[in-house]
Amino acid sequence: MTTAHRPTWKAAVGKTGEGGWNSGGIGGSAGLSHLDLPAHTKLKFRTGKQVVDRQQSLKESLNKLAKAEKEANKRLLQRPAVDEEVEKEGRLKLLKSTAEAEREAVKKQEEEKEAARDEEKLEEAALLGNPLLAGASNNNNNSSSGRLKRRWNEDVVFRNQAKGEPEIKKRFINDTVRNDFHKRFLNKFIR
């Protein structure tokens, strides 16, 4: 069995000759590595074409900016004239397309309302009684409005039994020991 899983009670302590060859003296070797010597001690400066005159470059950039500004102003002032007839035709097309879109939206809303009415009728039929047997019982249970007087589940034996029980409110507790599930588990299996 190995001892790799056991903790170290005393941390490793470095020795005097750690990390290099020791000739037997008290300290480490007196020699230095070339990696320990300072390197890149001088900065390189630009020479020849790389040297930039700051004032001259500033003047050039200002001239470029002025030229670009003049060209932009020319483009803005030389706008093509818009034909009034073409503009009117465009407005008419836009009005027609919006009117058609509004008509379609109204039709869609009407269809949705009709579908909702149909669904309500189906739900009402399901709640009030069996629609297949409604024709047979029309004589006995029909009122003047055509609805059945009693619902289908009124004569069921086990109706409304859960009314008296308090409603269990679920709540979230971010603690595995104090949450409701853990408490129910303890009550059910441990106590």
Side-chain angles (χ1 to χ4, degrees), residues 77-92:
L77 295 175
Q78 294 177 353
R79 256 191 181 171
V82 178
D83 191 12
E84 288 183 19
E85 292 178 17
V86 173
E87 204 171 291
K88 284 182 183 178
E89 289 175 9
R91 287 182 188 158
L92 286 174

Side-chain angles (χ1 to χ4, degrees), residues 110-126:
E110 288 175 2
E111 290 174 359
E112 288 175 357
K113 286 180 183 177
E114 187 67 29
R117 283 187 214 130
D118 291 342
E119 268 187 53
E120 284 179 15
K121 286 180 183 177
L122 287 174
E123 286 179 13
E124 189 175 310

Side-chain angles (χ1 to χ4, degrees), residues 92-105:
L92 286 174
K93 285 181 184 177
L94 182 63
L95 284 173
K96 286 179 184 178
S97 64
T98 54
E100 288 176 11
E102 286 178 10
R103 280 188 217 129
E104 289 180 17

Side-chain angles (χ1 to χ4, degrees), residues 162-171:
K163 268 189 178 177
E165 294 181 14
E167 194 172 310
I168 298 171
K169 189 175 184 181
K170 289 192 176 185
R171 53 195 182 122

Side-chain angles (χ1 to χ4, degrees), residues 19-20 25 34 44 56 66 75 80 98 111 134 136 142-143 145:
H34 71 283
K44 292 182 181 179
Q56 185 179 0
R75 278 190 233 130
T98 54
E111 290 174 359
N142 246 357
S143 64
S145 67

Side-chain angles (χ1 to χ4, degrees), residues 119-171:
E119 268 187 53
E120 284 179 15
K121 286 180 183 177
L122 287 174
E123 286 179 13
E124 189 175 310
L127 288 175
L128 292 177
N130 190 342
L132 298 174
L133 300 176
S137 64
N138 273 347
N139 307 342
N140 304 339
N141 298 334
N142 246 357
S143 64
S144 61
S145 67
R147 288 188 171 187
L148 294 173
K149 288 184 180 177
R150 295 188 319 154
R151 293 178 55 150
W152 66 273
N153 63 351
E154 281 185 357
D155 57 347
V156 177
V157 178
F158 303 107
R159 188 173 179 211
N160 294 332
Q161 286 194 347
K163 268 189 178 177
E165 294 181 14
E167 194 172 310
I168 298 171
K169 189 175 184 181
K170 289 192 176 185
R171 53 195 182 122

